[in-house]
Amino acid sequence: MIVALKIEKVREIVKKAKKKGKLIGFIPTMGALHEGHLSLVRRARKECDFVVVSIFVNPTQFGAGEDLHTYPRDFKKDKNLLKKEGVNLVFYPKVSTMYPKGFSTYVEEVSLSKYLCGKFRPGHFRGVCTVVAKLFNVVNPDIAYFGQKDFQQAQIIKRMVRDLNFPIKIRVLPIIREKDGLAMSSRNSYLSPYQRKVAPYLYKSLILAKELILKKRYSPSKIRKEVKKVIKENIPYAKIDYVEIVSPTTLRRIKKIDKGEILVAVAVYLGKARLIDNILVRVR
Ligand code: PAF
């Protein structure tokens, strides 16, 4: 496994692999890798001939007062995990490599980014789109892999790829959960033992939402209320950013439960940790 710090090095290595007819799979990450990331790597290994992972804690997607400086970083551990998974190339750039002095060009998706996390983290998806567009330009992959835990992010990336004509297929893979249901996240490491114990109630609240949706008897606003109740009653001091029931394609609130797919998405602060989770429900 090669570790490249420089853009030119990545370009050179990928170019050689492409010349040999290899299909390039790419997983962009911010490191602090867990089974969720590794599930993406494993799928890429199955579908592609050459797998690239980037590790870059992207400053432009963090707002003022967010956790940029405390975000977990352990490159040595990440490198060993990726080596074991048979990754071919790790791109590990410095901030100055991705954002040289005078950097002033950004990529912004302006529709899907207005909802859910976009409301609470202004500028976040602009930072995500900018860095992912840059990484796509550097790595030049055939297929890129994202997790469904960041459902909105994946939808926005798909839109960006379509709108800006990136010749890249986007795969979105299922959320990987701990045994007790908590969605895996690098930010789970911020949780105190007590917070960790009650955090699975987030997923339990989503399961309740799914059950209520499938009963087809309740309005989305009633279901949102019930979900909030479960969170408030079981996760003391949780600060709810949102509980939303939306169309998975537009990310807009739905007014009533109809046939088709519905997304229930939540974002909740447990102490320092802002946790997000979601569930897709198919109504027949
Ligand atoms: O999902 C993440 O880890 C990040 O948002 C991404 C896609 C690597 C961009 O920095």
Side-chain angles (χ1 to χ4, degrees):
M1 187 178 80
I2 303 168
V3 176
L5 277 65
K6 298 279 184 240
I7 290 169
E8 297 69 32
K9 185 84 188 158
V10 175
R11 286 198 201 281
E12 183 192 311
I13 295 168
V14 173
K15 203 171 163 187
K16 267 190 199 153
K18 284 205 163 185
K19 236 183 174 173
K20 289 184 191 152
K22 295 192 176 181
L23 197 72
I24 313 294
F26 176 47
I27 302 102
T29 81
M30 299 208 298
L33 303 178
H34 50 70
E35 280 298 312
H37 298 110
L38 299 182
S39 72
L40 306 181
V41 170
R42 287 173 197 142
R43 175 67 81 88
R45 283 266 294 151
K46 272 201 194 127
E47 292 181 343
C48 304
D49 312 300
F50 193 91
V51 176
V52 185
V53 174
S54 63
I55 296 181
F56 180 64
V57 182
N58 172 37
T60 63
Q61 70 188 76
F62 289 80
E66 288 190 351
D67 56 343
L68 170 63
H69 299 293
T70 52
Y71 195 85
R73 291 162 169 88
D74 191 342
F75 181 66
K76 234 182 172 177
K77 188 173 161 207
D78 289 345
K79 195 171 91 173
N80 287 332
L81 285 171
L82 296 176
K83 203 169 173 186
K84 271 195 209 137
E85 295 296 333
V87 166
N88 301 93
L89 172 62
V90 177
F91 180 38
Y92 182 49
K94 290 211 165 81
V95 172
S96 57
T97 301
M98 294 301 282
Y99 297 105
K101 220 173 152 222
F103 184 91
S104 61
T105 308
Y106 292 86
V107 179
E108 194 172 9
E109 190 285 329
V110 296
S111 174
L112 302 170
S113 306
K114 286 192 297 203
Y115 307 105
L116 306 177
C117 287
K119 267 195 192 162
F120 295 86
R121 302 186 70 190
H124 169 67
F125 289 115
R126 179 188 194 240
V128 170
C129 284
T130 302
V131 83
V132 172
K134 284 170 67 65
L135 290 167
F136 283 175
N137 280 332
V138 171
V139 175
N140 194 10
D142 298 290
I143 311 179
Y145 298 81
F146 294 85
Q148 196 201 299
K149 189 176 75 70
D150 296 289
F151 187 95
Q152 184 176 19
Q153 168 173 281
Q155 291 300 101
I156 291 171
I157 301 289
K158 276 193 200 164
R159 180 67 59 86
M160 176 186 82
V161 160
R162 187 201 72 177
D163 290 352
L164 300 185
N165 309 100
F166 282 98
I168 300 171
K169 280 198 188 99
I170 302 297
R171 294 254 199 285
V172 183
L173 302 188
I175 299 175
I176 304 295
R177 299 183 180 280
E178 303 284 357
K179 280 202 183 88
D180 58 11
L182 178 64
M184 289 203 185
S185 162
S186 307
R187 289 188 168 100
N188 290 350
S189 65
Y190 298 155
L191 297 172
S192 70
Y194 177 70
Q195 288 165 342
R196 174 64 191 81
K197 207 174 121 194
V198 294
Y201 276 98
L202 271 192
Y203 182 52
K204 288 190 180 134
S205 76
L206 292 176
I207 297 285
L208 171 73
K210 179 176 175 175
E211 284 167 8
L212 296 179
I213 287 172
L214 291 177
K215 283 193 171 141
K216 294 196 237 176
R217 252 189 281 137
Y218 304 100
S219 67
S221 75
K222 166 78 177 157
I223 299 171
R224 287 172 54 224
K225 267 189 206 137
E226 292 303 315
V227 170
K228 283 185 182 169
K229 206 163 122 194
V230 171
I231 296 172
K232 282 183 189 150
E233 282 178 2
N234 294 286
I235 313 182
Y237 312 114
K239 185 191 149 286
I240 300 176
D241 263 0
Y242 63 78
V243 169
E244 292 290 357
I245 301 180
V246 300
S247 146
T249 42
T250 64
L251 303 185
R252 285 206 198 136
R253 265 190 194 175
I254 54 165
K255 294 194 179 77
K256 63 184 192 31
I257 306 297
D258 271 331
K259 275 189 190 152
E261 281 206 313
I262 294 176
L263 179 78
V264 187
V266 296
V268 172
Y269 272 99
L270 263 82
K272 280 187 303 173
R274 185 179 188 275
L275 303 183
I276 56 172
D277 201 351
N278 66 76
I279 195 164
L280 260 180
V281 186
R282 175 168 288 283
V283 182
R284 289 173 204 282

